[in-house]
Amino acid sequence: RRLLPGSHRRNFERKPECFQSEKCVPPSHPYPTGAMWFIRDGCGIVFAIVTWFLVLYAEFVVLFVMLIPSGDYMYSAINGIVFSVLVFLALASHCRAMLTDPGAVPKGNATKEFIESLQLTSGQVLYSCPKCCSIKPDRAHHCRICKRCIRKMDHHCPWINNCVGEKNQKYFVLFIMYVALISLHALILVGFHFLHCFEEDCSSFSPTTMTLLIFLGLEALLFLIFTSAMFRIQMLSIYRRWAKKTTWVNLKAVFGHRFSLGWASPFVMPNQGKADGYQHVI
């Protein structure tokens, strides 16, 4: 049990009606433990589909418009493998960020019986969310789209159709990092392609090819700027919003207790509990 500081949020001493069990009962159909997390938001689903379309469009243009027709097998093989691996990691990170519970607080646990079971000492304060009717830990916020309180919530991102919180921030950071690398790689390839065209002969460039390359170049430039800015914001967020310790400890709190190649893998789950010593009361 822990004392949650701060006087700017609702607490049970100021909302005594939350103690009434008839007004705050556990949901009749709780979210199953281990079930896949998915937010049924139409706008977010459209954004997620658009994200996949743009990434796969870049993959198509790089492989089938620039590399394979180039005739330089070594150049095509190396760049094709690197780009495809980055695309795979980006989409895998997107799936993990979208389908991972970001740290939702259980709904309906702010009952009189549960409060009494905590055996709080005099002066201890617990904060509640009137929308979830749940006990809200420190640094948890309610998301109106997810309709849940999320631990260490950073923001709700429509591109992944999910909140960025305690349990999926690693996957979100990896997603924007890999998209930034994809964008940079695509931009370099487009630049070399046009440079070769101007130095040699552009007659082989059909209007369709030119259109595809120009669109890819603009897409890569815009997403490189956007994801680079988002990556910087996320690093600052990790530094400020997680455990108030050193930057290295905060990074381990998000990516895992020990530094390893697993930090860069969307298939390795971070272990925040060991990294920052954070223990939940709920």
Side-chain angles (χ1 to χ4, degrees):
R1 296 177 298 278
R2 94 187 247 183
L3 176 62
L4 302 183
S7 59
H8 61 287
R9 300 173 187 166
R10 293 183 176 89
N11 59 64
F12 287 106
E13 293 179 350
R14 296 175 186 170
K15 296 283 290 183
E17 63 272 15
C18 285
F19 281 104
Q20 300 178 18
S21 58
E22 67 274 8
K23 290 188 178 183
C24 190
V25 296
S28 56
H29 299 285
Y31 205 80
T33 302
M36 183 180 69
W37 175 273
F38 183 74
I39 302 301
R40 294 173 177 82
D41 175 60
C43 180
I45 293 173
V46 170
F47 269 81
I49 293 174
V50 170
T51 300
W52 274 66
F53 170 79
L54 292 174
V55 173
L56 293 177
Y57 168 81
E59 172 85 345
F60 170 79
V61 175
V62 167
L63 291 182
F64 297 101
V65 177
M66 288 192 289
L67 295 182
I68 294 178
S70 70
D72 189 334
Y73 298 110
M74 185 62 67
Y75 171 83
S76 300
I78 294 175
N79 283 284
I81 291 173
V82 171
F83 194 85
S84 296
V85 168
L86 291 176
V87 166
F88 173 75
L89 291 173
L91 295 180
S93 299
H94 183 271
C95 285
R96 292 303 300 270
M98 179 172 61
L99 302 178
T100 298
D101 178 353
V105 177
K107 297 180 72 172
N109 65 354
T111 61
K112 180 179 179 181
E113 292 77 11
F114 185 76
I115 300 299
E116 292 176 347
S117 69
L118 296 177
Q119 299 179 352
L120 301 176
T121 61
S122 177
Q124 283 187 291
V125 179
L126 289 175
Y127 298 100
S128 68
C129 174
K131 297 178 181 178
C132 294
C133 208
S134 61
I135 297 176
K136 186 163 65 173
D138 191 20
R139 289 177 287 174
H141 302 281
H142 185 85
C143 175
R144 62 179 181 84
I145 299 177
C146 295
K147 297 180 175 59
R148 298 289 293 272
C149 284
I150 307 297
R151 299 179 191 270
K152 297 182 181 176
M153 175 180 168
D154 186 82
H155 70 289
H156 185 94
C157 178
W159 295 103
I160 64 170
N161 188 35
N162 200 2
C163 277
V164 178
E166 180 183 65
K167 294 183 178 180
N168 71 340
Q169 189 169 21
K170 170 189 173 178
Y171 308 128
F172 179 73
V173 172
L174 291 181
F175 167 64
I176 58 178
M177 181 186 74
Y178 287 126
V179 170
L181 293 176
I182 289 171
S183 302
L184 178 61
H185 194 178
L187 201 58
I188 293 173
L189 291 176
V190 170
F192 277 125
H193 214 63
F194 276 114
L195 183 63
H196 177 74
C197 166
F198 294 143
E199 291 180 348
E200 301 294 335
D201 181 20
C202 290
S203 60
S204 61
F205 277 36
S206 66
T208 301
T209 299
M210 190 68 71
T211 301
L212 292 174
L213 291 177
I214 291 175
F215 185 81
L216 175 61
L218 292 174
E219 175 194 346
L221 178 61
L222 291 175
F223 273 88
L224 177 60
I225 295 172
F226 175 72
T227 52
S228 298
M230 281 298 300
F231 185 81
R232 179 178 180 275
I233 291 172
Q234 283 300 301
M235 291 297 101
L236 291 175
S237 172
I238 292 172
Y239 172 71
R240 294 171 181 174
R241 296 178 63 88
W242 281 76
K244 296 180 179 179
K245 299 179 182 179
T246 64
T247 302
W248 181 247
V249 171
N250 292 339
L251 286 173
K252 290 195 294 184
V254 174
F255 292 97
H257 182 52
R258 294 181 179 179
F259 175 75
S260 66
L261 290 177
W263 280 28
S265 172
F267 304 104
V268 177
M269 295 181 62
N271 188 344
Q272 292 104 343
K274 291 182 179 180
D276 61 3
Y278 183 82
Q279 295 181 350
H280 303 314
V281 295
I282 302 173

